[in-house]
Amino acid sequence: MDEKSERGEINFDHLDIDTESIKRSLANRLTYTVGKDQFTATERDWFHTTAYTVRDRLIERWMETMRSYYEKDAKRIYYLSLEFLIGRTLTNSLLNLDFHEPCREALQEMGYELERIREIEDDAALGNGGLGRLAACFLDSMATLCLPGYGYGIRYEYGMFKQQIRNGWQVEHPENWLRYGNPWEYARPEVLFNVKFKGRVVQYKDEEGRNHHHWIDTEEVMAMAYDTPIPGYKNDSVNNMRLWSAKGSRDFDLNYFNQGDYIMAVEEKNISENLSRVLYPNDTTVMGRELRLQQEYFFVSASLQDILFRFQKHHDNITELPDKVAVQLNDTHPAIAVPEMMHLLVDHHQLEWKEAWSITTRTFSYTNHTLLPEALETWPVALFGRMLPRHLQIIQEINRRFLNDVMHTHPGDAGLLSRMSIFSEDGEQHIRMAHLAIVGSHHVNGVAALHTELMKETIFADFHSFYPEKIINITNGITPRRWLNQANPQLSQLITEMIGTKWTTHLDELKKLEPFAEDAEFRRRFHAVKQANKKRLVELIKQHLEIEVRTDSLFDVQIKRIHEYKRQLLNLLHVVTLYNRIRSGQGDEIVPRTIIMSGKAAPGYATAKLIIKLANDIADIINHDPAVGDLLRVVFVPNYDVSTALDIIPAAELSEQISTAGMEASGTGNMKLALNGALTIGTLDGANVEIRDEVGEENIFIFGHTTDSVKQLRQQGYNPQQPIEASKELQQVLEMIDSGFFSPDDPTRYKPLLETLRREDHYLVLDDYADYIACQQRVEALYRDSEAWDRSAILNVANMGHFSSDRSIRDYAEKIWGVKPVCRQSCD
Ligand SMILES: *Cc1c(COP(=O)(O)O)cnc(C)c1O
């Protein structure tokens, strides 16, 4: 027996990670799992073979981690999120398990390239954008910090749609990511929970006069679990992400079978399975669709049943739940968890309301992600009551008691009561899910300092004065494992050479790079890495989009969902301004630039889709105009997802974060780009404010209105004609787009867009134009001084420590969840 076995520890050595052992595993997996030999195996077979070989090395660590949580009776964190935007898993797992190199060698000796095989993997795109990617970064950080964190969500059969650009327009295609099977997940057909909908509630009093509610005549759907291991970084911790898939209910089928209607039974089964069919592709707007409400309740109900089942295996006193369980609600999408918990505690566990309410509010906490009114979730009471009649009663009771409390502290203030009510009374009655989440949680957090302040001052001001301690800030972060170590191997290696490897788990260590900003040799090497990354992107653009781009041009990048508030239009106005300057003979004064844009528009968001078409129309004219030469290129990269982000970000030099001040809650794209050495041009919005505080105002390009000046401008009555009259260049740009210069095949195509700009310009694109253009000129000036640019870029990287999702998760653990790491070895 070796030392480890003598100490009673699990020994993983029989699945070694040396090249020879991996080769053996690959051969076995190819034969016995994939069922192919070296002659018949396709590249996809090799991807699956490699994935299984990696998964084999995760599984024992995973079970061991789960056992350690039981043994320590650790308090668990349940992160409830309708979205997890994971992306690919292979490289991430290889790096976290520390056998990327041996695996690469093993494959190479067998005649295959890991670099090619990993490209076969489909992205797990179970999210729209920032919110879903945040959830994915948080899972990585919880595992890396040895925290018992579980992700709970839905296993959508179709993830975020695939975006094709056809003739310049966005076309959506279904993303059938499970078509070839998902090697990372374990199906758990035995982990099955019943989820009820509809029906009615009957009430009766028992002998002791206690009221009981029975929810009966319901329709039922089964939730089946699929588990995906989430490895920490080189720490042998592996957590779990459990996603629910809808299965037709067995009981429900039985009724039909008894009536002899077999086909009907199978059809019904199909209908209930629609529940987990598809991710709603809406970012920052909500459409109150019945199936969406069903999705929300479906995954919340299954998750809470599972959580209580796990708790009760080892605890018999339900009142101890908040000591052992913390549930984080990622936005209001899972806010039905509040009434669901009350339903379980009061109707099933027979607790008194007060006690149940105390348990509930000590268990939940809620993260707000937006101040945009169109993104705040509400449900029509009529629809909600049909779908979840018992929950409607419970919410009404929660609201009655809550408003009663408000009334006692603020007697006679009817306005306050109606503002704070969980029910909106204007027109058709709606349930305000944010109010429900706030009332049902012990903490509510915003995702950047500015966003949290605005929450307290504006949309939740009444709640903030009623619960002065409840709303706190936890600034978002990104995992340095995926967004630096994996995204940018060359920069990672350079950093490690200078300051060691500790930065991968302690990102503050990057501060040690600061002195090297003054070191000419380091700057040269840093510059060379950026150039190499740019070269790689130039090849990809050439190969996939057939556009020739100068590697020595300024790579100016705006990659994010397409939305009016994010102001891709402002970027395009600048592009056309540069174009006009070149055409009027000022080309010599311009820094060669490549504008790279990427992003999806919600399928029903016509304006956003038109902006994509405009970007492509402008690109088409500029990229083919001989007068431009190679001075300017516009590249719209189709299908923005985690994998395209990983291709683009390491090559970026300028990061466009130009939302209207006060509208971007945090942003995380801004963090990824700065961490990879791009300088930010941005407004004082979301986490840009904190990025400026960290990197220093001399290393960031800030322009435009602030939240205060936006408010002022709107109060005094903003007139878009003013900025237009003030700028000849702006007039010319607008006139060109308006007159069909970029759309000769349909000269009126952009009339509606221009009409809204000229009349209303709600997002202040025109009023920020002049300052933006001037700021872009400061960008050019610095870019001409390559040494100074590189110095600033290095200082950006060096000061990004604060934006690690490890820091975010430590904040949550300490300020909200009250959890500690479960150490099996050293976790510092
Ligand atoms: C980080 C990320 C986002 C969020 O980008 P923002 O610029 O913060 O809006 C969206 N989509 C993907 C694929 C991402 O990786």
Side-chain angles (χ1 to χ4, degrees):
M1 272 207 336
D2 70 4
E3 234 180 284
K4 266 190 157 182
S5 321
E6 279 169 31
R7 291 203 309 268
E9 287 174 25
I10 288 281
N11 189 340
F12 300 114
D13 294 350
H14 62 276
L15 283 178
D16 274 339
I17 57 172
D18 60 281
T19 306
E20 282 310 310
S21 312
I22 293 172
K23 272 166 77 176
R24 224 167 16 249
S25 294
L26 287 169
N28 278 330
R29 277 308 203 166
L30 181 67
T31 310
Y32 300 115
T33 306
V34 177
K36 291 281 186 87
D37 62 25
Q38 300 237 18
F39 304 104
T40 53
T42 62
E43 242 171 18
R44 175 166 284 107
D45 292 328
W46 276 104
F47 162 67
H48 280 106
T49 301
T50 311
Y52 285 121
T53 301
V54 175
R55 196 182 74 167
D56 289 341
R57 284 154 176 81
L58 282 171
I59 187 70
E60 285 187 313
R61 290 167 173 85
W62 186 22
M63 293 187 295
E64 172 67 11
T65 304
M66 294 301 136
R67 279 194 293 271
S68 74
Y69 297 160
Y70 278 112
E71 280 161 17
K72 302 257 166 77
D73 190 21
K75 180 170 182 179
R76 284 138 159 105
I77 309 141
Y78 295 107
Y79 198 83
L80 266 56
S81 179
L82 217 42
E83 304 191 6
F84 288 94
L85 187 47
I86 305 275
R88 291 180 178 143
T89 289
L90 181 58
T91 307
N92 186 252
S93 292
L94 285 171
L95 290 170
N96 281 20
L97 289 176
D98 203 11
F99 72 110
H100 188 269
E101 276 316 293
C103 189
R104 200 182 55 72
E105 278 167 28
L107 281 165
Q108 197 167 39
E109 287 176 24
M110 296 169 93
Y112 293 90
E113 270 179 68
L114 178 56
E115 286 70 20
R116 279 172 65 101
I117 284 170
R118 68 180 181 207
E119 299 291 318
I120 305 284
E121 184 174 3
D122 281 311
D123 272 43
L126 307 184
N128 273 285
L131 174 148
R133 184 53 232 178
L134 184 78
C137 285
F138 281 2
L139 293 186
D140 181 87
S141 283
M142 288 192 284
T144 296
L145 293 171
C146 304
L147 288 169
Y150 297 68
Y152 272 105
I154 294 180
R155 180 180 177 272
Y156 301 107
E157 196 175 318
Y158 294 88
M160 186 60 193
F161 67 83
K162 276 240 176 329
Q163 178 197 58
Q164 197 188 66
I165 301 299
R166 199 185 298 158
N167 206 2
W169 294 96
Q170 165 174 299
V171 180
E172 301 94 19
H173 295 277
E175 161 63 329
N176 189 2
W177 70 299
L178 296 170
R179 184 174 42 227
Y180 299 104
N182 172 6
W184 302 110
E185 68 184 9
Y186 287 86
R188 306 291 191 200
E190 79 287 3
V191 183
L192 209 55
F193 293 101
N194 220 339
V195 179
K196 301 179 179 185
F197 292 99
K198 302 186 180 171
R200 62 200 174 89
V201 181
V202 290
Q203 229 183 102
Y204 69 92
K205 271 196 175 35
D206 63 19
E207 309 86 71
E208 287 139 39
R210 195 174 181 277
N211 253 320
H212 293 265
H213 296 83
H214 276 200
W215 183 16
I216 60 167
D217 296 341
T218 52
E219 293 178 10
E220 304 189 358
V221 181
M222 304 300 288
M224 178 182 145
Y226 285 79
D227 289 342
T228 301
I230 305 289
Y233 186 71
K234 297 186 184 176
N235 66 353
D236 286 345
S237 268
V238 180
N239 280 344
N240 193 18
M241 175 176 72
R242 176 160 283 184
L243 302 181
W244 301 104
S245 180
K247 305 283 166 194
S249 155
R250 290 176 297 205
D251 298 347
F252 200 62
D253 293 351
L254 217 53
N255 286 328
Y256 287 108
F257 284 123
N258 292 343
Q259 293 157 24
D261 198 341
Y262 165 74
I263 292 296
M264 193 69 156
V266 177
E267 277 175 5
E268 282 289 346
K269 194 169 144 68
N270 257 319
I271 291 169
S272 23
E273 290 174 3
N274 281 339
L275 257 178
S276 55
R277 198 78 68 203
V278 61
L279 166 75
Y280 276 86
N282 269 344
D283 193 50
T284 65
T285 38
V286 295
M287 334 167 294
R289 295 277 281 271
E290 191 166 303
L291 185 65
R292 169 73 173 202
L293 178 62
Q294 289 184 315
Q295 286 187 337
E296 294 183 353
Y297 181 65
F298 166 75
F299 106 96
V300 159
S301 169
S303 303
L304 288 192
Q305 290 184 63
D306 197 31
I307 290 166
L308 288 189
F309 175 78
R310 188 173 297 117
F311 172 79
Q312 287 176 316
K313 272 198 279 189
H314 296 271
H315 304 87
D316 9 273
N317 189 351
I318 191 80
T319 64
E320 287 166 11
L321 190 75
D323 303 326
K324 293 297 166 191
V325 168
V327 180
Q328 188 68 35
L329 308 174
N330 194 23
D331 211 313
T332 58
H333 315 148
I336 309 175
V338 172
E340 173 68 1
M341 183 68 94
M342 289 300 288
H343 165 59
L344 293 172
L345 296 178
V346 172
D347 297 343
H348 293 190
H349 288 265
Q350 315 294 333
L351 293 190
E352 293 299 328
W353 183 277
K354 271 192 156 167
E355 186 160 40
W357 185 243
S358 164
I359 293 171
T360 298
T361 52
R362 285 181 293 133
T363 301
F364 291 111
S365 45
Y366 150 60
T367 305
N368 172 275
H369 286 271
T370 180
L371 306 167
L372 302 181
E374 68 269 29
L376 293 174
E377 231 184 348
T378 65
W379 290 107
V381 168
L383 163 66
F384 195 98
R386 234 184 314 116
M387 200 59 64
L388 300 165
R390 177 59 183 142
H391 295 74
L392 178 57
Q393 289 180 341
I394 291 172
I395 295 171
Q396 284 163 338
E397 181 62 13
I398 291 171
N399 195 47
R400 191 186 64 76
R401 290 170 186 249
F402 167 64
L403 291 184
N404 203 38
D405 290 347
V406 176
M407 192 180 65
H408 282 299
T409 51
H410 298 81
D413 194 343
L416 183 70
L417 293 187
S418 90
R419 288 201 306 276
M420 293 183 80
S421 173
I422 296 172
F423 295 88
S424 72
E425 299 293 345
D426 39 321
E428 193 192 1
Q429 250 205 351
H430 280 75
I431 304 176
R432 296 160 164 161
M433 299 306 275
H435 293 202
L436 176 63
I438 297 173
V439 173
S441 296
H442 54 94
H443 282 93
V444 174
N445 76 285
V447 290
L450 174 67
H451 167 235
T452 303
E453 285 316 301
L454 291 171
M455 272 168 74
K456 293 187 203 169
E457 286 167 15
T458 63
I459 52 169
F460 300 143
D462 294 322
F463 287 96
H464 180 53
S465 40
F466 188 70
Y467 304 116
E469 309 284 300
K470 199 178 266 200
I471 302 179
I472 65 170
N473 176 248
I474 298 191
T475 300
N476 280 168
I478 56 170
T479 167
R481 272 74 63 185
R482 186 173 290 257
W483 296 110
L484 182 52
N485 193 40
Q486 181 187 329
N488 202 335
Q490 291 200 50
L491 182 57
S492 299
Q493 211 192 332
L494 177 61
I495 293 170
T496 296
E497 212 180 293
M498 308 309 290
I499 65 171
T501 58
K502 206 177 164 198
W503 62 269
T504 42
T505 50
H506 297 76
L507 200 63
D508 289 325
E509 287 279 308
L510 290 180
K511 193 83 185 170
K512 292 184 179 163
L513 287 175
E514 215 169 52
F516 296 112
E518 297 307 324
D519 176 337
E521 171 60 11
F522 179 75
R523 280 202 306 270
R524 192 193 55 73
R525 297 181 66 190
F526 182 89
H527 187 92
V529 168
K530 183 60 84 181
Q531 289 305 117
N533 289 332
K534 287 169 72 180
K535 195 147 180 280
R536 185 169 166 268
L537 183 57
V538 167
E539 298 294 330
L540 284 174
I541 290 171
K542 191 160 141 186
Q543 189 186 331
H544 294 285
L545 306 174
E546 293 169 3
I547 302 173
E548 299 265 359
V549 161
R550 274 173 67 165
T551 309
D552 66 346
S553 62
L554 166 59
F555 278 27
D556 174 347
V557 169
Q558 189 175 27
I559 47 176
K560 49 183 74 249
R561 284 301 285 264
I562 311 293
H563 202 290
E564 287 164 281
Y565 86 80
K566 292 179 183 275
R567 298 201 297 190
Q568 280 90 359
L569 253 183
L570 181 57
N571 189 349
L572 291 173
L573 296 183
H574 173 245
V575 171
V576 177
T577 304
L578 289 180
Y579 177 51
N580 288 339
R581 287 183 183 177
I582 294 171
R583 292 196 311 150
S584 68
Q586 295 165 264
D588 300 347
E589 295 157 41
I590 280 171
V591 167
R593 224 190 251 248
T594 302
I595 291 92
I596 296 164
M597 296 176 95
S598 194
K600 291 172 183 170
Y605 190 175
T607 306
K609 291 177 127 175
L610 193 55
I611 292 170
I612 292 177
K613 175 62 173 160
L614 178 59
N616 284 297
D617 277 351
I618 290 173
D620 197 42
I621 297 286
I622 291 182
N623 295 347
H624 295 102
D625 188 339
V628 170
D630 58 3
L631 273 184
L632 195 57
R633 285 290 177 274
V634 183
V635 181
F636 189 94
V637 179
N639 199 44
Y640 184 55
D641 60 9
V642 171
S643 289
T644 40
L646 290 168
D647 287 332
I648 296 170
I649 288 169
E653 292 176 297
L654 187 62
S655 160
E656 300 270 354
Q657 307 300 335
I658 59 179
S659 51
T660 315
M663 306 200 100
E664 187 75 87
S666 163
T668 48
N670 46 3
M671 302 168 187
K672 299 167 195 167
L673 285 153
L675 181 61
N676 282 273
L679 303 200
T680 302
I681 181 165
T683 47
L684 282 179
D685 200 15
N688 295 352
V689 177
E690 287 152 87
I691 292 177
R692 179 203 58 178
D693 293 345
E694 296 292 318
V695 305
E697 59 188 353
E698 60 292 359
N699 297 306
I700 188 168
F701 298 99
I702 298 292
F703 73 94
H705 280 290
T706 60
T707 45
D708 285 340
S709 71
V710 165
K711 193 172 154 195
Q712 236 176 24
L713 184 65
R714 289 199 174 134
Q715 269 169 359
Q716 74 194 32
Y718 168 52
N719 175 10
Q721 287 311 311
Q722 276 186 353
I724 296 176
E725 275 158 29
S727 165
K728 276 266 167 324
E729 283 195 302
L730 179 56
Q731 286 161 31
Q732 193 193 355
V733 169
L734 295 179
E735 191 47 42
M736 281 166 78
I737 299 172
D738 206 1
S739 67
F741 184 96
F742 298 104
S743 52
D745 57 321
D746 178 6
T748 62
R749 179 173 296 142
Y750 300 110
K751 288 269 178 237
L753 209 56
L754 270 288
E755 158 75 5
T756 326
L757 268 188
R758 291 199 161 110
R759 202 190 55 242
E760 183 184 337
D761 188 20
H762 180 66
Y763 300 95
L764 307 180
V765 170
L766 303 181
D767 216 60
D768 268 343
Y769 170 84
D771 203 20
Y772 180 57
I773 299 295
C775 193
Q776 287 283 15
Q777 264 178 289
R778 288 189 275 131
V779 170
E780 292 195 357
L782 189 68
Y783 197 74
R784 283 199 187 88
D785 184 349
S786 172
E787 301 259 305
W789 182 279
D790 291 336
R791 190 178 291 121
S792 261
I794 292 163
L795 291 176
N796 268 264
V797 177
N799 287 294
M800 289 304 292
H802 183 63
F803 303 100
S804 168
S805 48
D806 299 345
R807 190 269 313 143
S808 308
I809 288 298
R810 281 198 190 94
D811 282 354
Y812 278 97
E814 181 194 330
K815 296 175 183 159
I816 297 183
W817 299 332
V819 292
K820 293 235 148 54
V822 175
C823 303
R824 288 182 320 291
Q825 39 172 326
S826 71
C827 336
D828 54 323

